Amino acid sequence: MSHEKIILGIESSCDETACALVNEQGDILSSTVWSQYDEHRRFGGVVPEIAARAHLEKCDVLIKETMDKANKKFSDLSAVAVAGGPGLIGGVLVGVMTAKMIALSYKLPFIAVNHLEGHALTARLSHPVQFPYLLLLTSGGHCQVLIVEGVGQYKRLGGTIDDSAGEAFDKVAKMLDVGYPGGPNVEKRASLGNPNRFIFPVPMKGREGCDFSFSGLKTAVRICIEKQVMIDEETKNDICASFQKAVVAQMSDRLNHAIKIYKKMYPKGKDLVVAGGVAANKSVRDMLEQKAQSNGLIFSAPPIQLCTDNGVMIAWAGMERFLAGKFDSLDFKARPRWPLDAL
Ligand code: KG4
Ligand code: ZN
């Protein structure tokens, strides 16, 4: 019998059904992601009922595939981890019930991972990031800055007061009809466009603290689109580029404040980390890299495929919890709302 510690992670909180196996060294033994883009594309966004049904159809198939790919049996596992929230309740329930069933049948420890903690800890799988680190967590559902002091220990410095950055990317993509999901399509077009053709506002710039706001920017893009007599491909690209520039400018300004607070609280702290779907964006990563450099910090970002939702992040956060002796009971209730600083 092998003594390798292995965790199965299951993710089903939004529009990706995903699972993965990781060991304690952070090796990914297998990883499978089923994106529901085709199911949601014609609606231009995620439809919760459709998502829940698709998770139900795919979850056990994907788990089997993931186990088979790594040539592992359930009895080889050390524990089962699942995203217990926050997210769409239907999907979270599918993952939680499935994970509980495996845990119960094979007498394995059960670990409910906060989806945001999954994002927050992912960089530690690929980089030697030390606690406490400064984290920009920017996804479809969230945009916040935190200090990650340890597993389950988060200090929130600020967050969006309206939309998340990912939501803004998705809404701009929908307004311009450039395809779903929005982020990658807007980024592709932005790389072809002129970021200086349109001047969009940078909400929150210069304000105290680390809060974000994206709804005014979204409205400015909408008004700009309405003003155009004709929107050709070049104009679409220029709007994408100008919009992305404004998003990055806001993040840069907010991070200046966050870094000051982080350095004051932790003079020896040296890591700046980004996570979440929007962390896949190259302009965001480049800006953060430069910012880290000019502030004497080390910048770490998970590989692109681990930024958007995946099973590895849940399995890895599960491993961190497992190694810290943090387990959950089978009475755990799925939590559609579950702030990180409530852990
Ligand atoms: O973390 P994630 O997969 O799901 C949530 O937990 O919300 O993030 C998805 C979000 C979507 O809004 C998507 O448009 C955005 O991340 N996103 C991007 C990029 N790739 C994904 N935004 C900007 N640039 C990208 N390359
Ligand atoms: Zn996510």
Side-chain angles (χ1 to χ4, degrees):
M1 203 174 125
S2 138
H3 293 288
E4 187 184 22
K5 291 191 175 65
I6 301 172
I7 306 251
L8 168 68
I10 303 170
E11 158 61 39
S12 59
S13 66
C14 190
D15 57 346
E16 262 95 20
T17 321
C19 42
L21 290 173
V22 302
N23 67 15
E24 61 185 316
Q25 282 81 38
D27 300 318
I28 301 167
L29 309 182
S30 63
S31 167
T32 322
V33 181
W34 173 267
S35 291
Q36 304 175 355
Y37 296 150
D38 291 342
E39 277 85 347
H40 301 292
R41 184 166 285 119
R42 67 197 168 102
F43 303 102
V46 181
V47 183
E49 287 77 10
I50 295 177
R53 217 165 303 151
H55 286 302
L56 195 58
E57 265 170 37
K58 283 286 167 201
C59 198
D60 49 356
V61 183
L62 280 197
I63 292 173
K64 180 165 182 347
E65 213 178 300
T66 307
M67 300 296 293
D68 288 350
K69 264 202 267 182
N71 204 13
K72 297 289 178 199
K73 305 183 293 296
F74 287 125
S75 54
D76 295 325
L77 298 177
S78 310
V80 188
V82 61
L88 301 172
I89 185 68
V92 175
L93 276 172
V94 171
V96 168
M97 299 286 279
T98 311
K100 282 183 181 176
M101 225 158 57
I102 299 170
L104 193 65
S105 313
Y106 291 86
K107 297 192 172 39
L108 295 168
F110 169 80
I111 301 168
V113 169
N114 179 303
H115 177 89
L116 302 173
E117 178 164 66
H119 281 305
L121 298 176
T122 302
R124 281 168 51 83
L125 175 139
S126 47
H127 296 74
V129 178
Q130 300 294 320
F131 300 125
Y133 56 88
L134 182 62
L135 172 74
L136 170 63
L137 202 170
T138 173
S139 68
H142 298 84
C143 185
Q144 44 189 278
V145 213
L146 304 134
I147 297 177
V148 184
E149 296 175 327
V151 178
Q153 288 172 272
Y154 299 88
K155 195 155 272 146
R156 189 175 183 276
L157 301 184
T160 184
I161 56 169
D162 41 55
D163 296 347
S164 73
E167 227 174 320
F169 270 95
D170 293 336
K171 285 178 180 164
V172 166
K174 198 169 176 181
M175 286 189 262
L176 288 171
D177 198 20
V178 298
Y180 169 84
N185 287 312
V186 170
E187 178 175 19
K188 221 176 287 161
R189 285 185 171 263
S191 69
L192 305 170
N194 171 7
N196 301 316
R197 172 156 166 210
F198 302 100
I199 307 296
F200 291 130
V202 180
M204 310 306 277
K205 189 165 181 194
R207 289 230 208 145
E208 276 307 302
C210 309
D211 283 342
F212 295 79
S213 164
F214 292 100
S215 114
L217 172 58
K218 176 190 67 190
T219 307
V221 172
R222 183 172 52 75
I223 292 168
C224 168
I225 294 170
E226 284 166 4
K227 272 196 199 145
Q228 305 302 312
V229 185
M230 197 195 72
I231 299 212
D232 54 15
E233 294 306 306
E234 191 182 337
T235 305
K236 282 188 182 182
N237 295 347
D238 293 347
I239 291 175
C240 287
S242 307
F243 159 77
Q244 184 175 277
K245 182 179 165 193
V247 170
V248 172
Q250 181 179 171
M251 286 180 172
S252 168
D253 179 76
R254 306 288 75 204
L255 257 299
N256 288 342
H257 291 245
I259 289 173
K260 266 193 212 135
I261 298 170
Y262 172 59
K263 285 193 159 180
K264 201 164 164 194
M265 283 176 75
Y266 293 102
K268 289 195 182 139
K270 58 178 178 47
D271 286 298
L272 173 64
V273 173
V274 69
V278 183
N281 187 287
K282 190 168 183 305
S283 304
V284 171
R285 292 166 88 100
D286 288 351
M287 177 275 290
L288 291 169
E289 170 102 65
Q290 277 174 20
K291 192 161 292 295
Q293 230 170 51
S294 56
N295 284 281
L297 299 173
I298 302 164
F299 175 62
S300 302
I304 304 278
Q305 72 277 13
L306 294 186
C307 288
T308 45
D309 291 349
N310 61 82
V312 173
M313 65 190 230
I314 304 303
W316 176 248
M319 180 61 82
E320 295 245 36
R321 292 204 147 243
F322 178 86
L323 296 173
K326 292 174 188 279
F327 302 104
D328 294 276
S329 110
L330 290 177
D331 290 339
F332 173 85
K333 286 196 179 56
R335 297 182 65 169
R337 285 173 189 277
W338 190 5
L340 254 190
D341 50 2
L343 284 187

